[in-house]
Amino acid sequence: MLQTIKKIGVLTSGGDAPGMNAAIRAVVRTCAFHSIKCYGIYRGYEGMIDGDFVEMDARSVKGIINKGGTILKSARSKAFRTVEGRKAAYDQLKKAGIDAFVVIGGDGSFTGAMVFNKEFDFPVMGIPGTIDNDIYGTTHTLGYDTALNTVVEVIDKIRDTASSHNRLFFIEVMGRDVGHIALNVGVGAGAEEILIPEENLGLDRLLESLRRSKTSGKSSSIVVVAEGDKIGKSVFELKDYVEENMTEYEVRVSVLGHMQRGGSPSCFDRVLASRMGVKAVESIITGKSNYMVGLKNDGMDLTPFDQAVKGKSKIDKELLRVSDIMSI
Ligand code: F6P
């Protein structure tokens, strides 16, 4: 029998990503549209365990579609990984009369939701929010597009100074253990080489490629390195290695870090967040649970949590070839 949903909770969990606020707004307003009460849950699963809830209406989310970060705050909760922690969270939800929740986060957050659903038969729905784009079942996670634009803008600036001094830059970008950000910004910013976890370029090929760049008359070189790159050396070790083997290069390093997670979301991420929020709430209302909403073939789609978590989001290897051709 279809359970009537009267109160939906919404939380952001794991690393924040641009577009999370736009997704909170979309969940809250879709609830208001369908006359369902909505509760914001602060600090991810930590706040769920503590019963840190606030009732939200359509006006509570005004002026946030363009804001980075998350107004609900986020956390990576250790306590929610324990049976006791999840039981405490369940008791708090029951006490507040909340009968379903939408979690905006990454694979760790979805794993938590999946276990919780199994233990308490509690309706849950996920919205993929992470700059890494590492979740199966959606071509884009929330925040990914914004992060790409942020990083490309920064690399353009680094290129200005690199060309002025004829320097080589190693630029480390985020992405945990996947290379989506590195690969796309590498092509978008015209990098000479791109190092990603999915492919082991090898140090010899790197040197060979840098030699080619030098002899072809380039005034600067940019190598984009994904933080989880397979070569197994940090950007600082790469710098030392190249300087030892190619004295003709003056090398600098730039680790972009958490600035990649900040800033106002792109229009793409705002629209995506709005669509995902509507789909998440309306799926719960129609009795669906334990799914992640995602973008597939330009439309909103649902992927079971276990597939979203276990599956791999594949990089586009053709982009590596495109990059090789472009950096001739
Ligand atoms: O998952 C998002 C992400 O920014 C990754 O790209 C990065 O590896 C990680 O989070 C950093 O985590 P923290 O903010 O906990 O240092």
Side-chain angles (χ1 to χ4, degrees):
M1 202 180 66
L2 209 64
Q3 184 194 340
T4 314
I5 302 287
K6 296 200 181 78
K7 290 185 185 177
I8 293 180
V10 58
L11 66 148
T12 47
S13 169
D16 63 300
M20 280 187 163
N21 280 327
I24 295 168
R25 172 181 180 268
V27 169
V28 171
R29 292 203 170 159
T30 310
C31 284
F33 182 82
H34 289 288
S35 305
I36 290 169
K37 284 196 172 182
C38 191
Y39 286 81
I41 300 169
Y42 283 110
R43 296 177 290 112
Y45 292 120
E46 287 289 298
M48 192 184 279
I49 291 168
D50 295 343
D52 199 356
F53 307 149
V54 61
E55 189 174 341
M56 298 177 96
D57 63 19
R59 299 283 75 75
S60 320
V61 287
K62 65 172 190 233
I64 65 166
I65 193 168
N66 57 338
K67 300 277 189 291
T70 157
I71 59 162
L72 289 177
K73 313 278 182 190
S74 194
R76 303 191 202 273
S77 174
K78 283 201 181 113
F80 199 73
R81 291 190 194 159
T82 66
V83 181
E84 298 76 31
R86 290 191 294 275
K87 175 71 173 70
Y90 178 75
D91 291 343
Q92 295 285 9
L93 291 171
K94 280 281 132 192
K95 200 164 112 196
I98 297 173
D99 28 38
F101 70 73
V102 177
V103 55
I104 307 164
D107 53 358
S109 311
F110 294 164
T111 303
M114 198 168 63
V115 174
F116 190 78
N117 167 267
K118 200 167 171 203
E119 285 173 348
F120 302 104
D121 193 23
F122 195 91
V124 293
M125 195 59 62
I127 292 180
T130 164
I131 62 165
D132 301 339
N133 204 36
D134 58 349
I135 300 181
Y136 177 80
T138 187
T139 54
H140 289 75
T141 55
L142 276 185
Y144 172 56
D145 180 69
T146 305
L148 293 183
N149 289 311
T150 302
V151 177
V152 158
E153 198 183 324
V154 172
I155 299 181
D156 286 349
K157 292 188 165 108
I158 293 177
R159 177 74 81 177
D160 290 343
T161 170
S163 306
S164 304
H165 289 267
N166 286 352
R167 281 174 173 161
L168 157 66
F169 267 82
F170 284 103
I171 303 176
E172 186 191 281
V173 300
M174 278 187 168
R176 205 178 286 275
D177 43 18
V178 296
H180 289 289
I181 295 180
L183 186 52
N184 282 273
V185 300
V187 173
E192 277 56 46
E193 277 299 342
I194 304 169
L195 307 183
I196 53 173
E198 292 83 352
E199 286 284 306
N200 192 346
L201 177 68
L203 288 169
D204 291 343
R205 237 208 81 184
L206 177 64
L207 290 187
E208 193 189 302
S209 156
L210 291 175
R211 265 188 207 111
R212 235 184 300 124
S213 288
K214 200 71 179 172
T215 49
S216 73
K218 292 196 179 189
S219 63
S220 66
S221 287
I222 300 278
V223 179
V224 175
V225 186
E227 62 177 333
D229 161 53
K230 269 242 174 65
I231 267 184
K233 289 199 184 294
S234 77
V235 270
F236 297 98
E237 289 167 334
L238 284 172
K239 170 187 189 292
D240 291 346
Y241 183 81
V242 169
E243 279 181 336
E244 271 162 32
N245 288 281
M246 301 182 73
T247 44
E248 63 270 41
Y249 267 117
E250 193 183 354
V251 190
R252 292 290 184 273
V253 164
S254 202
V255 177
L256 301 190
H258 286 77
M259 54 89 64
Q260 295 165 89
R261 291 221 306 242
S264 181
S266 63
C267 183
F268 180 90
D269 275 328
R270 297 181 199 190
V271 174
L272 184 63
S274 306
R275 294 173 79 188
M276 285 179 164
V278 171
K279 180 73 176 175
V281 171
E282 294 189 340
S283 299
I284 291 179
I285 296 172
T286 55
K288 298 251 172 22
S289 173
N290 225 10
Y291 287 96
M292 177 199 83
V293 303
L295 181 65
K296 268 192 209 161
N297 304 320
D298 277 342
M300 284 295 107
D301 201 23
L302 295 178
T303 300
F305 267 150
D306 58 340
Q307 284 179 27
V309 168
K310 276 195 220 119
K312 288 253 177 292
S313 70
K314 291 213 173 67
I315 59 145
D316 180 0
K317 290 209 174 162
E318 173 63 6
L319 272 185
L320 278 176
R321 208 176 70 84
V322 170
S323 166
D324 279 350
I325 297 172
M326 290 303 106
S327 60
I328 190 168

